[in-house]
């Protein structure tokens, strides 16, 4: 009954199922692993002390930036060079901009340093000047921003001196020297009060280390892939069952109910047509029998019309004709006209002929009696 599984069409279906189910399970397991990694990173981050409370270390020892070194205090020495404003940044539910300066170190590379945040727009803002000469800064280390970072503007078209994203890939096109693939934010206002009214920018948690919306998206994708795998298996069993039932019906010679009803209706229509034809034939026979019965009385009345002699001859002929009309054959004609269907009664024809013969014989006898007289 399941030999249809070996047909070419079912070979294709089976191959699709064999490949689809493992793929869905693999993708679901991978998404589940991503969610578990985020949960584990979040738990580890909560158990560890605040990175900003740890002892500061030289910048080069903390690079490259990862989930462990992100937020750690880093120390760098150099002189401030170019200055940029980073608009569209929010702090304490207020819109403003970052003030960023490039710190040229002894290695020849520059470290982006966010000195603070100011409210308002960057176009017409008055920014406090950076300290002159060689300075040593200690700030919380951050990884370069990307298009998914909060507050980043990737549309471009900003005025000169403004920056949409803090990253080495962006800054290297704006300055004539190499840039570290990291940046630091000062946790306290600059010494000497040169920062003015700027507020320190707190360090952000490393990307992918918390239970954010992306983590729960991974969990949702996990459920979707497992549902897809179950749906493929369910549809395969359903198709197999339907095909097996159809093969069993064919083997048993079963006919659908609709086909049986159609055949019965055709037979009833055929029987009705035959009955209608029989009724029409019976009506034609009755009509023909009625015509034969009318022919008998017409023949009986023809005898008196044929008598050409005197009243006595007519009386005799009338008597004979009356006798002839009482002939039992005439009675048989009446019965025949009522019982027979579609045929003329020979008895009626003979009766009419007999009536005519009786009239002629009466005329001959009347003539002989006159001669004797």
């Amino acid at each position: 009954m399941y030999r249809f599984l070996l047909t070419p069409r079912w070979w294709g279906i089976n191959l699709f199922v064999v490949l689809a189910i493992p793929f869905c399970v693999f993708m679901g397991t991978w998404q589940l692993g991503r969610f578990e990694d985020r949960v584990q990173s979040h738990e580890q981050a909560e158990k560890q002390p605040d990175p900003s409370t740890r002892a500061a270390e030289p910048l080069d020892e903390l690079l490259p930036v990862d989930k462990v070194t992100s937020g750690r205090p880093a120390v760098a020495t150099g002189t401030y060079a170019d200055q940029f404003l980073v608009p569209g940044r929010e702090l304490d539910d207020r819109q403003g901009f970052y003030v960023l300066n490039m710190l040229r170190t002894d290695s020849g590379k520059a470290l982006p340093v966010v000195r603070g945040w100011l409210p308002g727009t960057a176009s017409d803002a008055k920014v406090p000047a950076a300290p002159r000469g060689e300075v040593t800064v200690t700030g919380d280390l951050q990884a370069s921003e990307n298009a998914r970072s909060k507050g980043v503007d990737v549309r471009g078209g900003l005025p000169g001196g403004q920056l949409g994203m803090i990253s080495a890939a962006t800054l290297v096109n704006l300055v004539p020297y190499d840039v570290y693939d990291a940046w630091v934010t000062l946790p306290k206002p600059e010494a000497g009060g040169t920062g003015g009214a700027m507020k320190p920018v707190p360090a952000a948690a490393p990307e992918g280390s918390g239970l954010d919306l992306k983590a729960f998206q991974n969990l949702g994708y996990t459920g979707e892939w497992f549902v897809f795998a179950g749906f493929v298996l369910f549809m395969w069993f359903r198709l197999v069952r339907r095909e097996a039932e159809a093969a069993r019906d064919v083997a048993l010679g079963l006919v659908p109910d609709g086909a049986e009803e159609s055949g019965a209706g055709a037979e009833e229509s055929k029987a009705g047509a035959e009955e209608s034809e029989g009724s029409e034939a019976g009506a034609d026979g009755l009509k023909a029998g009625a015509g034969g019965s009318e022919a008998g009385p017409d023949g009986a009345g023809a005898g008196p019309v044929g008598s050409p002699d005197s009243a006595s001859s007519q009386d005799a002929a009338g008597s004979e004709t009356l006798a002839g009309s009482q002939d039992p054959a005439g009675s048989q004609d009446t019965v025949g006209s009522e019982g027979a269907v579609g045929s003329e009664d020979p008895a009626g024809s003979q009766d009419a002929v007999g009536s005519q013969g009786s009239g002629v014989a009466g005329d001959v006898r009347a003539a002989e009696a006159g001669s004797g007289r």
Side-chain angles (χ1 to χ4, degrees):
M1 185 171 60
Y2 293 96
R3 293 180 179 178
F4 60 86
L5 293 175
L6 301 179
T7 59
R9 181 173 70 92
W10 274 95
W11 269 110
I13 296 175
N14 296 335
L15 179 63
F16 171 78
V17 172
V18 169
L19 295 178
I21 292 179
F23 176 76
C24 293
V25 172
F26 169 77
M27 293 300 297
T29 305
W30 179 71
Q31 290 289 350
L32 182 60
R34 293 290 301 273
F35 174 75
E36 291 177 348
D37 291 341
R38 290 179 179 272
V39 173
Q40 185 177 4
S41 299
H42 177 68
E43 292 177 351
Q44 291 177 354
E46 287 184 345
K47 293 179 180 179
Q48 293 180 356
D50 188 358
S52 60
T53 60
R54 302 179 65 177
E57 296 183 13
L59 175 64
D60 293 334
E61 295 181 4
L62 298 177
L63 296 177
V65 183
D66 54 18
K67 293 181 180 180
V68 177
T69 61
S70 179
R72 294 274 302 272
V75 179
T77 302
T79 58
Y80 282 118
D82 298 278
Q83 178 175 279
F84 297 95
L85 303 181
V86 186
R89 299 306 171 105
E90 184 177 350
L91 184 63
D92 297 334
D93 296 332
R94 298 175 62 188
Q95 287 292 331
F97 57 93
Y98 292 166
V99 179
L100 183 145
N101 287 83
M102 305 298 294
L103 181 68
R104 298 283 305 269
T105 63
D106 296 337
S107 63
K109 288 185 177 182
L111 174 67
V113 178
V114 175
R115 294 167 53 210
W117 174 90
L118 287 174
T121 60
S123 299
D124 54 354
K126 294 181 180 181
V127 180
R132 296 180 179 273
E134 187 177 27
V135 295
T136 299
V137 298
T138 302
D140 297 334
L141 188 63
Q142 300 281 273
S144 293
E145 294 181 336
N146 52 54
R148 298 185 302 271
S149 300
K150 183 179 179 180
V152 169
D153 184 4
V154 296
R155 295 174 298 177
L158 295 175
Q162 295 186 18
L163 190 65
M165 180 169 57
I166 306 174
S167 68
T170 303
L171 289 167
V172 75
N173 297 320
L174 302 176
V175 296
Y177 38 79
D178 293 337
V179 180
Y180 282 104
D181 189 16
W183 59 282
V184 296
T185 175
L186 301 182
K188 297 179 180 180
E190 294 175 341
T194 57
M198 289 190 299
K199 291 184 177 182
V201 177
E207 185 178 358
S209 62
L211 292 178
D212 52 3
L213 180 60
K214 294 180 180 179
F216 291 100
Q217 284 180 348
N218 294 129
L219 185 61
Y221 294 150
T222 300
E224 288 182 359
W225 283 113
F226 287 143
V227 169
F228 290 158
F231 179 75
V232 171
L233 187 62
F234 166 75
M235 290 302 299
W236 183 83
F237 274 111
R238 183 175 181 181
L239 291 176
V240 169
R241 180 179 178 182
R242 181 182 299 178
E243 195 79 10
E245 290 177 354
R248 182 186 60 186
D249 293 343
V250 172
L252 296 177
L254 300 178
V255 181
D257 296 337
E260 293 181 353
E261 294 177 357
S262 300
E267 294 179 357
E268 292 178 357
S269 300
K270 183 177 180 181
E274 293 178 353
E275 292 178 359
S276 177
E277 292 178 358
S279 300
E280 293 177 357
D284 293 340
L286 291 174
K287 184 176 180 181
S293 300
E294 293 175 356
D298 291 342
V305 175
S307 303
D309 294 340
S310 61
S312 59
S313 301
Q314 293 178 357
D315 293 337
S319 301
E320 294 294 330
T321 302
L322 181 60
S325 63
Q326 295 177 354
D327 188 12
S331 301
Q332 295 177 359
D333 176 57
T334 303
V335 176
S337 63
E338 294 178 354
V341 179
S343 62
E344 297 182 356
D345 189 1
S349 300
Q350 294 175 2
D351 183 36
V353 175
S355 300
Q356 294 177 359
S358 300
V360 175
D363 293 340
V364 173
R365 286 194 296 270
E368 291 177 353
S371 300
R373 290 179 184 179

